[in-house]
Amino acid sequence: MRAKLHSVDDAYWHWRNGGYLVYLQGSIRSACIAFLFRFLPPRPSLLPITATMRTTLNNSGTTDSSELDQIRDWKALHRLSTQLLKTNSTTAKLAEVLASVVAFHHTSRAVISIHDPGLECLTVRASIGMTKQEVEELNRIKLSEGCSGAAFAERDRIVVENFDKDERFEAFHPWAKANHVGAVYSTPFYDDDTAIGVVTVYFGMPHTPTAREMELTDICAGTIALILGRELADASSRQERERRNKVLAHMDEGYIVLAHDFTVREMNHAAVRMCQRPIADMIGKSHWKVWPEVNDTEMGTMFRRAMSERIPLWIENRWVSPSGDVGWYEVHAQPIDEGMAIYFRDITRRKTAEQAVADSEARYRALAENTSEVVWRADATGMVCEMSPGWARFTGQTSAESSGEGWANAIQPDDRAGLLAEWHAAVATGMDYMTTYRMRRSDGQYRNMISHGVPLKDKDGHVREWIGLCQDVTALREAEEIARQENVHKDEFLAMLGHELRNPLSAVRMATDLLERTDFGPERTAHFARVINRQVAHMTRLVEDLMDISRISRGQVSLERNPVDLCAAITAAAEQLRPMMNAKQHRLTLDLPEEACIVFGDHVRLVQVAGNLIGNAARYTPAHGDITARLLIEAGKALFTVSDTGIGIEPALLPEIFNLYTQAKMTSDRQSSGLGMGLTLVKSLVELHGGTVTAMSDGPNMGSMFSVTLPCAATN
């Protein structure tokens, strides 16, 4: 409540019975009027009552009109306090206060606006006599603007006695005229020293507020601040309770509150779940009657000590539930004002895990004795003193045969001397030992092995013994060799790619040089243009094939699936390759069924498959050779074959014919052009369509045949 403090002789407020008792000093018959304003919460200091309100009765026992007004005001405030005591809703309380404000001012319009820290405007919390549109307009007025915004920003009352003549709020003159506002004044209210809102009173005509009106408004503004402050406190308390209840409800740990006499007062859901009995059987009953089995245990002793000595304690306790389940719980007892809080969580998994670790260590020891890997131990001098059973199984040597340096007899003779030299050097230096060699397996096959040994040293750094492991890495070495061969094939492919690009580039460069240096006629110029176009088209195909392979390998190719006539796709592919085959005078035979062969796939990609197979046949078939493209429908599947009378395929290359690098190797003699990427694309695209592709050849110069099988589309 913001007002000047007058002398204590004028008036004072005293807290009594949950409200403020207001004493007004008077001289008539030593009487005073006391008003119990029960709604207001206690304040540590006296609250102001102005001197103009101190006298209610004159010495003659009569009252003038101003005194009667004061008495009516106090009665109105008393009625307001009574209504506020009867009302629980904050909205209803604010409406009651606002109704009193407009009654005090003999007007019909007023609002209570509060500030939300997240907004730049005041928000109307309660209003009387205002239309919905007027409230919306007030909500759009920013802080420091308008009468209410200025009062809030300046933390002082703002009075506009005549809107038409007030230059400070000239921007709001149209609004005032449109809403029939002749005068207005706004009074800020506070929570401690922080402004939280404004109460604003509107008058239809120019109006100068009286001291009485402003004093009553101050009282009401203070009341509003207290209402909102209590609402905020209640909300904070409610949120705190909700947070606490939510935390307790979602805790994995059990939570029990015991009174000082060990009566169970509160339990969360986890506690009820873990105790495995109805909550009604536990709440309100003695802990010792609910869980009598705890009475004479270490945990029971801990509970009594924690309660009596008011100290926190904890224990890990093995517990058997009423259903017979055995578990482990970590229990904490924490003294609190109400008595004692017990937190307990199920640590059965942890205990089980600890036991599992112990069991695992035991299994590891057993595994070291029975593993397929070869575990060995040697003394400080390097003499083997123990070989695991795995050594005997792997090499066939007995313990006596492998002791000392007898184990070296299982090493491939070419590797034996070097291995022993490395081992002796490691023993002499006490450094970790790792080497590779070939060792004879019990079946007589030599396997690639890697051996790693580490010295175990005493506190003085002297080697006490050696422990180590021998591992068969033959499969790893084979994989490395395959990878090496892949790299070789890749290098060959890149070399061929460079050759394939260099030839057309050379032709293009030669043609462009001639065009720049010599003035040829139209026919000659057109010839060079055709050369350039042909070579550029060749390079474009190479690049497109490479990009297709890259996209397919990364899974970035998506098919536009539709019913496709495979006969039409094969015919279209053959027509695209007709110039190439005519140049080599190939005889192409298309053996296609008369009816349509419908498959569900991507027309463009299927044309690409057929084109690559026919083009591959043309590329590796000498001039005047025969090429046959045939399509059959068998058992709901389309079988498309392309056979030729060309150079054929080495039998050893057939299993890898669709591998990109294998193709490069096959064509490295440069007797035919191309990189062989087409077959790689064919395989990938056919598999994307759910089909298969195979290659057959009887050998060099015996021709070849490629077969594609695709599922036919279902017919109605």
Side-chain angles (χ1 to χ4, degrees), residues 89-102:
S89 167
T90 299
T91 301
K93 288 179 179 179
L94 294 178
E96 289 288 348
V97 176
L98 205 55
S100 297
V101 170
V102 297

Side-chain angles (χ1 to χ4, degrees), residues 244-257 264-275 279 282-283 342-344:
R244 172 185 176 275
N245 293 336
K246 184 176 294 185
V247 169
L248 292 177
H250 292 86
M251 280 174 53
D252 291 332
E253 295 83 3
Y255 173 77
I256 300 176
V257 175
V264 179
R265 294 184 57 182
E266 184 180 350
M267 299 178 68
N268 70 346
H269 295 307
V272 175
R273 184 187 71 250
M274 286 189 279
C275 290
I279 190 171
M282 297 178 283
I283 293 293
I342 299 175
Y343 301 87
F344 58 100

Side-chain angles (χ1 to χ4, degrees), residues 577-586 623-624:
L577 294 167
R578 186 71 67 178
M580 175 182 176
M581 290 183 287
N582 289 342
K584 296 179 70 173
Q585 299 182 353
H586 287 148
H624 305 288

Side-chain angles (χ1 to χ4, degrees), residues 36-175:
L36 184 63
F37 198 2
R38 293 181 176 276
F39 174 74
L40 298 178
R43 292 281 183 172
S45 62
L46 299 176
L47 296 182
I49 297 296
T50 63
T52 58
M53 301 174 64
R54 56 186 282 236
T55 303
T56 57
L57 295 173
N58 59 29
N59 291 331
S60 64
T62 62
T63 60
D64 58 23
S65 62
S66 62
E67 291 170 344
L68 291 175
D69 287 341
Q70 290 177 359
I71 294 174
R72 281 194 294 268
D73 291 340
W74 282 110
K75 288 182 177 180
L77 288 174
H78 178 67
R79 285 194 299 272
L80 174 60
S81 67
T82 303
Q83 288 301 115
L84 292 178
L85 288 172
K86 295 178 180 179
T87 304
N88 293 324
S89 167
T90 299
T91 301
K93 288 179 179 179
L94 294 178
E96 289 288 348
V97 176
L98 205 55
S100 297
V101 170
V102 297
F104 288 144
H105 293 82
H106 304 291
T107 185
S108 62
R109 290 185 289 178
V111 297
I112 298 172
S113 302
I114 63 172
H115 178 231
D116 183 343
L119 302 176
E120 297 181 355
C121 305
L122 291 173
T123 303
V124 174
R125 180 67 188 272
S127 68
I128 188 167
M130 306 295 288
T131 66
K132 182 179 180 182
Q133 180 180 352
E134 288 172 339
V135 170
E136 291 176 352
E137 291 172 348
L138 291 175
N139 284 336
R140 290 195 291 267
I141 299 176
K142 296 184 177 180
L143 298 179
S144 76
E145 294 182 356
C147 187
S148 57
F152 180 85
E154 298 175 11
R155 299 167 59 85
D156 198 4
R157 189 194 321 273
I158 297 294
V159 178
V160 179
E161 297 180 358
N162 190 333
F163 236 119
D164 290 340
K165 297 181 179 181
D166 193 302
E167 297 180 355
R168 181 176 179 182
F169 301 105
E170 185 176 358
F172 289 88
H173 286 179
W175 176 87

Side-chain angles (χ1 to χ4, degrees), residues 253 297-307 309-318 328-335 340-347 350-351 354:
E253 295 83 3
T297 65
E298 183 181 2
M299 188 166 67
T301 301
M302 181 192 77
F303 286 166
R304 290 188 179 91
R305 183 185 172 197
M307 185 74 83
E309 299 180 15
R310 312 306 291 166
I311 57 174
L313 297 171
W314 76 279
I315 192 175
E316 289 184 353
N317 183 64
R318 183 177 180 271
W328 282 87
Y329 290 89
E330 181 180 87
V331 184
H332 292 257
Q334 177 66 49
M340 183 171 67
I342 299 175
Y343 301 87
F344 58 100
R345 62 189 182 96
D346 190 341
I347 58 171
R350 195 194 79 195
K351 286 290 188 179
E354 290 174 353

Side-chain angles (χ1 to χ4, degrees), residues 238 299 436 488 548 703:
R238 184 171 57 257
M299 188 166 67
T436 58
V488 171
D548 271 344

